[in-house]
Amino acid sequence: MDPEAAPQRLQTIERHILDQQERFPEATGRLTSLLYDIALSAKLIARETTRAGLANILGATTGINVHGEIQQKLDVYADEVIFRMNDHTRRVCVMASEEHDELRRIPDHHQPGYYVLIYDPLDGSSNIDVNASIGTIFAIHRKITPGNGHGTEADVLQPGTALVAAGYVVYGSSTMLVYSTGAGVHGFTLDTSVGEFLLSHPDIRIPSPGKYYSINHGYEREWTPGIRTYVRWCQAQNEPDMQPLAQRYIGSLVADFHRNLLRGGVFLYPGSAANPTGKLRLTYEVQPLAYIAAQAGGYASDGLTDILDLQPKSLHQCVPFFVGNRDLVEQLEQTLAEHDRDALARYRTVRDAV
Ligand code: AHG
Ligand code: MN
Ligand code: MN
């Protein structure tokens, strides 16, 4: 073996999180350990996603989750892995999972900790059986209710501006974990031969100009005039001097977001007349990805407001989600303001109802 072949600078996720912690002299290491436990959960989930067919884990269970969707077996597995990894460490005071109607309480025989962990255990589950990329999304808040006891709904329902950390894992052609603690966005690729996440994408910035627009075209008949106008603009239908954006849509939010983060672009999941809030969940999916986008120099909006400024009203609240390069999302806000005045007013009423 050639000694020159030895890697020069190899940074594991553990080392990276520890280095980041040095920014906070008062840090106790609890957040570092929590992030490391999430990375460990991701390795376990990645192991099951890659051998899903072999392990007879493919396919749906008989359970229907709180959104009325058929739960996939891997959904249930990922949900339990993350919960059990964090229910006894004294670092978390309460958890909230997209798969559960209610908060996930720390069991009484374990001591609750200081952080709030919110997660979508398996995002893009309709893609499990067809070998397309899927993901996990997580968000971490501090406990804001007084005392050392269990966390409550108020601890979960905090605006994105209060996030301490957020990130996602994409189980694709390789497994990548991308996270931020407020000092840029960093990506790690899982080297399965050594079982470590290694720093592969330091300090990710969303490139400009953006290359892609991503929206489910199957719902075109539900689109508002503003969305139609904007998509035509993305296609440069009336702009001979503009290079059209290419269209990409996988149907796994994490995978769609990740591609646009690395290549530049805009992702849209709008509401419709029948359902003005759309499908994506503010706390489990939208806030953490908006936080990552902002940390990478991008921007996220619900069409009216910076996502990070929204005060969540309920655990499973949905909002329209537009995220990507700042110029592309701002252009969208302007187009909606011009064409969708009534639809925006209706949405605002629903959003701001207490
Ligand atoms: P989940 O699998 O966690 O329920 O989320 C699925 C979501 C999201 O990943 C994706 O962006 C969206 O569903 C796709 O929805 P459409 O099929 O309606 O486009
Ligand atoms: Mn999801
Ligand atoms: Mn999910």
Side-chain angles (χ1 to χ4, degrees):
M1 164 63 77
D2 176 8
E4 290 299 313
Q8 298 206 324
R9 248 188 100 252
L10 208 105
Q11 198 167 23
T12 63
I13 194 162
E14 186 173 21
R15 173 95 164 273
H16 190 268
I17 298 169
L18 271 169
D19 287 355
Q20 295 268 309
Q21 179 192 316
E22 282 171 13
R23 290 183 296 126
F24 305 102
E26 74 286 3
T28 58
R30 289 174 300 189
L31 178 62
T32 301
S33 305
L34 170 53
L35 287 166
Y36 193 68
D37 288 341
I38 291 171
L40 186 53
S41 312
K43 287 187 213 172
L44 291 169
I45 299 167
R47 187 185 64 187
E48 293 307 318
T49 58
T50 49
R51 63 177 196 184
L54 299 169
N56 190 26
I57 206 164
L58 276 178
T61 63
T62 50
I64 304 275
N65 72 6
V66 292
H67 306 282
E69 299 148 349
I70 296 175
Q71 273 184 327
Q72 302 287 329
K73 287 179 187 171
L74 267 174
D75 274 314
V76 179
Y77 175 80
D79 185 38
E80 276 312 297
V81 164
I82 297 172
F83 182 72
R84 288 188 202 160
M85 191 70 75
N86 292 287
D87 71 349
H88 60 281
T89 59
R90 301 180 177 192
R91 293 190 264 275
V92 176
C93 64
V94 70
M95 286 181 252
S97 159
E98 189 222 270
E99 295 294 332
H100 292 262
D101 216 345
E102 308 286 337
L103 294 179
R104 300 212 74 182
R105 270 174 60 91
I106 302 300
D108 285 333
H109 53 282
H110 293 306
Q111 199 182 316
Y114 177 63
Y115 289 107
V116 179
L117 176 59
I118 305 168
Y119 60 95
D120 178 355
L122 212 79
D123 173 70
S125 24
S126 68
N127 277 325
I128 296 172
D129 283 354
V130 296
N131 252 337
S133 296
I134 48 182
T136 296
I137 310 176
F138 62 92
I140 300 170
H141 284 294
R142 292 187 186 86
K143 185 174 193 284
I144 50 170
T145 52
N148 297 323
H150 289 272
T152 66
E153 204 165 278
D155 293 304
V156 174
L157 301 182
Q158 298 189 52
T161 46
L163 283 165
V164 174
Y168 62 84
V169 186
V170 55
Y171 312 100
S173 44
S174 58
T175 298
M176 261 192 84
L177 189 150
V178 175
Y179 87 103
S180 176
T181 53
V185 178
H186 309 285
F188 300 79
T189 302
L190 182 61
D191 183 331
T192 48
S193 63
V194 292
E196 286 281 4
F197 278 107
L198 301 176
L199 182 62
S200 52
H201 296 64
D203 208 6
I204 297 171
R205 306 290 296 171
I206 186 162
S208 186
K211 263 178 91 110
Y212 299 126
Y213 79 96
S214 308
I215 186 168
N216 189 334
H217 269 269
Y219 304 144
E220 190 164 344
R221 70 173 190 192
E222 314 283 335
W223 292 353
T224 57
I227 297 293
R228 282 169 201 276
T229 307
Y230 183 75
V231 168
R232 274 204 307 277
W233 177 82
C234 290
Q235 297 165 340
Q237 295 273 13
N238 302 312
E239 333 276 328
D241 298 332
M242 178 178 144
Q243 177 74 18
L245 302 183
Q247 195 274 349
R248 293 281 190 281
Y249 192 80
I250 297 171
S252 281
L253 175 61
V254 167
D256 280 308
F257 177 86
H258 181 68
R259 179 200 55 243
N260 289 5
L261 182 73
L262 295 187
R263 294 282 179 265
V266 59
F267 172 92
L268 303 94
Y269 205 108
S272 61
N275 180 15
T277 58
K279 170 187 186 184
L280 298 177
R281 297 100 189 179
L282 178 56
T283 52
Y284 303 105
E285 298 170 314
V286 169
Q287 281 183 327
L289 297 185
Y291 179 83
I292 295 288
Q295 283 292 320
Y299 175 56
S301 169
D302 67 348
L304 287 168
T305 307
D306 185 333
I307 291 289
L308 296 177
D309 291 330
L310 295 178
Q311 169 63 50
K313 298 277 169 48
S314 63
L315 281 182
H316 294 279
Q317 179 181 356
C318 294
V319 293
F321 188 34
F322 309 111
V323 62
N325 291 62
R326 175 169 283 280
D327 58 334
L328 294 175
V329 179
E330 283 178 351
Q331 169 86 18
L332 174 77
E333 285 180 325
Q334 272 172 30
T335 310
L336 297 185
E338 269 170 45
H339 295 268
D340 284 353
R341 194 190 288 246
D342 293 348
L344 284 179
R346 275 197 303 279
Y347 163 63
R348 189 193 287 275
T349 310
V350 176
R351 184 190 76 179
D352 297 345
V354 182

